[in-house]
Amino acid sequence: MKYTLRVNGADRSVDVDADTPLLWVLRDALQLKGTKFGCGASLCGACTVHLDGAPVRSCVLPVSRVGSAAVTTIEGIGTSSLGKRVQDAWLDVDVVQCGYCQAGQIMAATALLAATPKPTDADIDRAMSGNLCRCATYNRIRAAIKQAAGMPTTDTRGSSA
Amino acid sequence: MKPANTARSHPTTTRPADPSRRAFLTAGAAIGGGLLLELTLPASAVAAVAGLTPTPGAELNAYIRIAPDGLVTIVSKNPEIGQGIKTMLPMLIAEELDVDWKDVRTMQADNDPARYGRQFAGGSRATPLHWDPLRRVGAAGRQMLVSAAADTWGVPLAECRTAAGSVRHEASGRVLGYGALAAKAATLPVPDLKSVVLKDPRDFRIIGRSQRGVDSPLVVAGEPLFGIDVQVPGMRHAVFVKSPVFGGSVATANLDAIKALPGISHAFVVSGGELFDGLTSGVAIVADSWWTAHKARAKLEVRWNDGPTAAQDSKEFARQAAVLAQQAPALTIYTEGDVQAGLASAARVVEASYSYPFIAHATLEPQNCTASVRDGKAELWAPTQNPDSGAKIVAKLLGLAEPDVTVHLTRCGGGFGRRLMNDYMAEAAWISKQVGSPVKLLWDRADDLRHDFYRPAGFHFFKAGLDRAGKLVAFRDHFVSFGKNGKFASSAGLGATEFPARFVPHLELGASLMPLDAPTGPLRAPGSNALAFAFQSFIDELAHAAGRDPVQFRLDLLGAPRRLANPPGPAGATPDFDTGRMRAVLEAVAERSGWGKRPLPKGSGLGVAFYFSHLGYFAEVVQASVDARGKVRVDKVWVAGDVGSQIINPTGAENQVQGAALDGISAALAQVITIDRGRVTQRNFDDYPLMRIDAAPPVDVHFVLTDNPPTGLGEPALPPVVPALCNAIHAATGQRIRHLPIASLDLRSS
Ligand code: FES
Ligand code: FES
């Protein structure tokens, strides 16, 4: 089947089976390898992209259901000022260990901040708990989100008297 | 690329008041061999993945290339698995070369042990193995540049100084940049690495300062870096379906039906061999896209010959272990004094059994490899921690000479020990050879969880005696583990120096082995990650039985600061175990966590543990809370570690330690791999849960600096966190955690 997708602001044509998840269309048909495969079952968030600005798991989204929605991937997120701010915060806080989860983390974090510019720890927990980090860079992910939001990054959780 | 900046987050450090002169490891003579050879990376090595582009310029040695504009390229020899090695190793060279870090680009080496020595990521070995030799490589480069400048100016060497990428002649004020000197320097004789002069650590400008991960700008931009991202012209996509029962083989498969599916180019049976770290039996499906190949699995019908492993079962192992515990241990690992007499005369005897399950590595990037086998040569792009072993496996499998197997190292989406094995390399190479074109093999998550080399389960039957004063006088462990013919299975062992061996007058460590035909292997802090749980939890029980504070009980057990000789390890001589270093980190973590000084809310508790592994001394405190429904919440973790005189890259060090602590908690809370009739039942992150951000506590990291050579950090922070957590749950609830995972236990308060 032929589809025309709107990816990172450009129209891209692909010829793939209708049930092909958007993840594999991006990675193998469009050679956008930044979006990652971790579980294929909406359990890890490595494949997170935006559909009209909302975070979705591209590993379980068939290409036939994308329609005319605007797809934004990690390769395109830096063109928005918020996306760039999140990427810069990720670098400044030095979040990355292996880095495999981080595209998905950045996509989820950008969507969070677009909806909630000053997130609480609970907001961060809610928005980010679908994204696994096997290296467990969670403390720095939290700090980077707060930094991108212009908030103090000191982790005050657990400082009970 | 922006210049590397300084990260915000820093671990704290303290240095004991009285440091004497520092000691260094001696240089490894092999490192830096092949100096002045031409850099001969094949173009295909750099085409496939971004971030590997060599810069032009003159090559000073196998590691250093300097362009006319002064841009320095430094080769990183070891695999990057998220431990930060591609940043840390070049920092060592750049420091002694005396350049600005912002002028440095790093490049991943291919597998080339003749040039670089052993290239592997394991055992937290990279720091101790390279701290001295790679700084000498940098210093040798600097010396060649100084010689070139002195020669150009016709002045004595001793009148020239270097700073930030240039040589200066003090008397005349003349300055030449390294870029201008590199071509001449590259023609000069290479200094003897043993004789080069290293900087006084007080003059360090790169080492000891936080340097962001060199590939991070590419990571956050989604550039292709990982094995799974490799793209080779003409490449096909493969899946490989292996027997669910370990060691099983294909009897029949509906290959014709699979080959008839649209997009499928090949489907064939692989008979394979016996070794798990190699090619085993299965069905290969090759297609024009991974999704097409993957989808065909739903239509695949295979009849398997299960083989004898189908009789093995997690439940049965637990039953057998309990039976073996009633008998004398089959192996004696260590004895001291007379443990029977010690127990008989003790004022109080404590007995407990501990167990932990198999667990998996679950790297977030599933195993994969891209291979191109043609014309009697094999080229592989592999996310592996152990490339040369992979090259040898492939050479043997395909009947090629080892020099005809080229392995390009890609960034690895996590390692944790899984990628020390190279089964995926053997599979990709074999499939590529059969198909006659390049192939990218990619496992799905179920393949990954079901065909791992697992952290072995284990069972400990402890008995210990305290005297009237609460002092530990007798200690016995009967460890029921896995193995055959008196030899432990991989990572299933127990050593003669396991604490408290050598700290108790009457002690016996013994073991009995059960045969196991499922693969086991090293997982981050192998052995230690499980033994720490059992031993440091039981020691906590003893502290309570003795009516002593758990920190004080441990300090008393360690006794006065002194060194105990350790037997040589697999890599040769092992430094002494220094009780003073362990005491210092234990005292530091007690202090930082407010141990014994803070009132805690009801349902919360603090637990402590220490552990020595991979040459690192770590003590950790966990604060945990358990609610009425039995749900465990980890509130905070404090880590104090001693890995020597110098934290090379503080931001990376803190990240590793935080990750290791959370990794240990993640596994302890909920992870279990179940073997049921010879096969693993778990298949994805719903039944094999990893910690998520909402359960990740803050981790306070503190380093105690001591006058010892720097050692590695990927692993040693992990082991003590597990018993510290379990001991915290005991402090919070009064319930002992003797079996993992914690989620399998009922902690509701009645
Ligand atoms: S790959 Fe899509 S959620 Fe894991
Ligand atoms: S950085 Fe490795 S999985 Fe997140």
Side-chain angles (χ1 to χ4, degrees):
Chain A
M1 292 281 291
K2 285 200 165 39
Y3 297 91
T4 300
L5 302 175
R6 187 100 189 131
V7 182
N8 297 331
D11 284 335
R12 307 286 299 267
S13 295
V14 294
D15 189 354
V16 292
D17 290 351
D19 64 356
T20 310
L22 176 61
L23 170 64
W24 298 105
V25 174
L26 294 169
R27 288 186 56 84
D28 287 346
L30 297 176
Q31 298 300 321
L32 293 169
K33 310 275 196 196
T35 307
K36 294 295 191 268
F37 167 66
C39 69
S42 201
L43 296 166
C44 78
C47 65
T48 306
V49 300
H50 293 179
L51 222 54
D52 286 335
V56 296
R57 309 297 184 218
S58 65
C59 68
V60 291
L61 179 69
V63 63
S64 58
R65 298 230 319 267
V66 176
S68 60
V71 179
T72 309
T73 70
I74 188 70
E75 289 90 347
I77 196 70
T79 57
S80 81
S81 67
L82 176 59
K84 176 82 169 65
R85 225 162 60 227
V86 173
Q87 287 172 320
D88 287 347
W90 242 249
L91 293 177
D92 199 40
V93 174
D94 195 29
V95 175
V96 173
Q97 283 191 34
C98 83
Y100 194 76
C101 72
Q102 300 296 351
Q105 305 282 3
I106 288 170
M107 297 309 287
T110 308
L112 162 66
L113 292 173
T116 312
K118 301 281 175 204
T120 61
D121 280 317
D123 292 332
I124 293 172
D125 286 346
R126 246 191 317 277
M128 302 301 293
S129 60
N131 289 76
L132 291 176
C133 177
R134 173 65 180 88
C135 304
T137 60
Y138 294 124
N139 283 318
R140 289 189 176 187
I141 288 172
R142 187 180 299 277
I145 290 172
K146 291 181 181 175
Q147 176 158 323
M151 295 160 60
T153 57
T154 320
D155 197 336
T156 50
R157 299 170 307 137
S159 44
S160 70
Chain B
M1 195 194 277
K2 286 200 330 187
N5 66 351
T6 312
R8 252 145 230 247
S9 181
H10 293 280
T12 55
T13 54
T14 49
R15 196 182 273 282
D18 182 31
S20 52
R21 294 189 53 214
R22 69 187 54 244
F24 290 117
L25 294 174
T26 51
I31 301 270
L35 292 171
L36 287 176
L37 291 176
E38 198 39 54
L39 197 65
T40 50
L41 284 181
S44 53
V46 297
V49 202
L52 303 184
T53 318
T55 46
E59 184 180 312
L60 293 195
N61 58 37
Y63 293 89
I64 304 169
R65 175 177 280 263
I66 301 178
D69 63 359
L71 195 72
V72 181
T73 302
I74 298 182
V75 170
S76 176
K77 63 188 274 277
N78 280 2
E80 174 64 66
I81 60 173
Q83 84 282 44
I85 209 70
K86 198 179 170 191
T87 308
M88 192 273 265
L89 293 182
M91 283 172 69
L92 301 178
I93 296 174
E95 179 68 67
E96 295 290 344
L97 186 61
D98 211 9
V99 290
D100 262 345
W101 185 244
K102 70 170 171 42
D103 296 328
V104 172
R105 302 294 175 268
T106 64
M107 194 176 85
Q108 177 67 58
D110 278 350
N111 180 49
D112 191 352
R115 201 165 161 78
Y116 297 112
R118 276 204 71 195
Q119 297 168 271
F120 70 104
S124 296
R125 298 289 296 157
T127 299
L129 286 176
H130 298 100
W131 166 247
D132 192 74
L134 283 192
R135 285 187 302 138
R136 289 182 185 277
V137 165
R142 175 180 163 278
Q143 194 169 314
M144 290 159 79
L145 290 156
V146 171
S147 299
D151 195 56
T152 304
W153 294 325
V155 301
L157 276 177
E159 292 179 8
C160 299
R161 300 270 174 280
T162 60
S166 55
V167 186
R168 186 182 176 86
H169 181 238
E170 297 294 345
S172 64
R174 280 174 293 187
V175 177
L176 275 173
Y178 284 0
L181 292 165
K184 179 166 197 162
T187 66
L188 298 177
V190 180
D192 175 15
L193 288 183
K194 284 196 281 281
S195 71
V196 296
V197 180
L198 295 175
K199 281 185 180 178
D200 183 321
R202 274 181 303 223
D203 298 330
F204 285 163
R205 297 166 59 250
I206 296 171
I207 291 172
R209 302 195 187 183
S210 285
Q211 312 295 352
R212 179 178 72 207
V214 290
D215 279 342
S216 297
L218 302 174
V219 168
V220 304
E223 295 289 328
L225 291 167
F226 297 90
I228 195 176
D229 302 336
V230 169
Q231 187 75 28
V232 177
M235 182 180 93
R236 296 176 197 266
H237 296 264
V239 299
F240 188 53
V241 183
K242 289 187 275 196
S243 167
V245 175
F246 295 108
S249 60
V250 180
T252 59
N254 62 338
L255 298 177
D256 291 336
I258 299 302
K259 280 189 265 195
L261 295 171
I264 303 292
S265 64
H266 304 74
F268 53 92
V269 169
V270 174
S271 33
E274 304 264 292
L275 288 180
F276 290 116
D277 191 7
L279 187 68
T280 54
S281 178
V283 176
I285 304 175
V286 183
D288 51 8
S289 80
W290 186 80
W291 177 250
T292 304
H294 177 71
K295 224 171 31 165
R297 296 178 73 153
K299 299 255 163 48
L300 178 68
E301 291 165 14
V302 186
R303 215 162 50 70
W304 301 99
N305 296 319
D306 284 349
T309 316
Q312 297 190 344
D313 205 287
S314 287
K315 279 209 196 77
E316 175 59 21
F317 288 135
R319 202 193 58 77
Q320 257 187 65
V323 171
L324 287 168
Q326 303 305 315
Q327 305 163 12
L331 306 171
T332 302
I333 293 166
Y334 185 73
T335 52
E336 196 159 332
D338 181 343
V339 83
Q340 288 305 349
L343 287 169
S345 65
R348 171 123 197 236
V349 171
V350 183
E351 210 168 345
S353 64
Y354 280 77
S355 73
Y356 40 83
F358 294 96
I359 57 175
H361 297 81
T363 58
L364 199 58
E365 180 190 20
Q367 307 319 310
N368 67 88
C369 180
T370 301
S372 176
V373 179
R374 64 176 86 182
D375 308 328
K377 291 199 191 310
E379 187 172 13
L380 295 101
W381 294 261
T384 172
Q385 294 177 242
N386 199 4
D388 199 47
S389 168
K392 289 190 163 73
I393 288 168
V394 168
K396 193 157 174 229
L397 177 70
L398 303 184
L400 299 177
E402 277 173 36
D404 290 329
V405 178
T406 304
V407 180
H408 309 298
L409 277 61
T410 69
R411 191 177 182 86
C412 299
F416 314 107
R418 173 61 182 87
R419 300 183 209 268
L420 289 167
M421 265 62 73
N422 293 297
D423 36 350
Y424 41 87
M425 289 177 73
E427 292 165 9
W430 185 262
I431 296 169
S432 170
K433 182 172 178 190
Q434 304 311 306
V435 168
S437 68
V439 162
K440 175 153 72 184
L441 167 79
L442 171 63
W443 295 13
D444 70 10
R445 181 54 56 191
D447 294 332
D448 197 73
L449 287 173
R450 290 177 169 180
H451 295 284
D452 197 350
F453 295 76
Y454 304 94
R455 191 284 299 275
F459 306 84
H460 294 262
F461 300 88
F462 290 116
K463 198 167 182 179
L466 301 160
D467 70 9
R468 221 164 294 283
K471 192 167 151 356
L472 181 58
V473 290
F475 187 100
R476 176 180 194 255
D477 179 26
H478 183 176
F479 176 35
V480 181
S481 184
F482 297 100
K484 277 177 193 151
N485 306 324
K487 278 190 66 186
F488 288 109
S490 174
S491 302
L494 174 67
T497 59
E498 188 65 35
F499 188 87
R502 305 181 295 174
F503 291 82
V504 184
H506 305 288
L507 179 136
E508 179 185 294
L509 303 178
S512 298
L513 303 181
M514 302 182 283
L516 172 70
D517 295 310
T520 62
L523 186 149
R524 197 175 199 172
S528 312
N529 63 36
L531 297 173
F533 156 66
F535 281 82
Q536 286 281 320
S537 297
F538 185 59
I539 284 171
D540 216 63
E541 291 203 50
L542 298 175
H544 282 82
R548 306 292 306 282
D549 171 78
V551 169
Q552 194 55 50
F553 185 78
R554 284 173 173 81
L555 288 171
D556 291 346
L557 204 45
L558 284 165
R562 66 197 187 283
R563 289 164 173 268
L564 282 83
N566 275 320
T574 307
D576 302 341
F577 176 69
D578 185 333
T579 59
R581 295 178 75 181
M582 193 57 92
R583 290 183 66 97
V585 292
L586 189 51
E587 281 162 348
V589 83
E591 151 97 36
R592 292 186 68 83
S593 63
W595 182 269
K597 299 227 166 69
R598 291 185 295 133
L600 292 170
K602 189 172 155 10
S604 297
L606 290 184
V608 67
F610 68 73
Y611 206 75
F612 172 69
S613 73
H614 301 88
L615 310 178
Y617 294 77
F618 279 81
E620 307 187 11
V621 168
V622 168
Q623 181 174 328
S625 307
V626 182
D627 69 18
R629 290 166 303 131
K631 187 157 171 35
V632 175
R633 183 162 184 93
V634 183
D635 301 311
K636 190 160 178 177
V637 181
W638 293 264
V639 179
D642 173 359
V643 288
S645 61
Q646 178 74 60
I647 301 302
I648 297 168
N649 186 5
T651 172
E654 186 194 59
N655 215 350
Q656 287 305 304
V657 170
Q658 292 185 332
L662 297 182
D663 190 356
I665 293 170
S666 174
L669 283 174
Q671 290 169 13
V672 54
I673 285 289
T674 312
I675 297 177
D676 175 24
R677 288 164 297 137
R679 71 203 85 203
V680 165
T681 63
Q682 284 73 18
R683 63 195 159 99
N684 213 321
F685 295 125
D686 47 357
D687 52 12
Y688 194 78
L690 306 188
M691 173 188 278
R692 294 176 182 275
I693 194 169
D694 55 349
V699 182
D700 176 76
V701 180
H702 179 77
F703 291 109
V704 176
L705 302 178
T706 57
D707 181 34
N708 292 284
T711 55
L713 266 177
E715 295 166 283
L718 190 153
V721 82
V722 179
L725 167 60
C726 296
N727 296 338
I729 292 172
H730 176 264
T733 65
Q735 299 198 59
R736 267 296 156 200
I737 307 296
R738 298 195 184 92
H739 308 282
L740 296 178
I742 293 163
S744 69
L745 309 170
D746 184 357
L747 296 174
R748 278 175 301 187
S749 44
S750 42

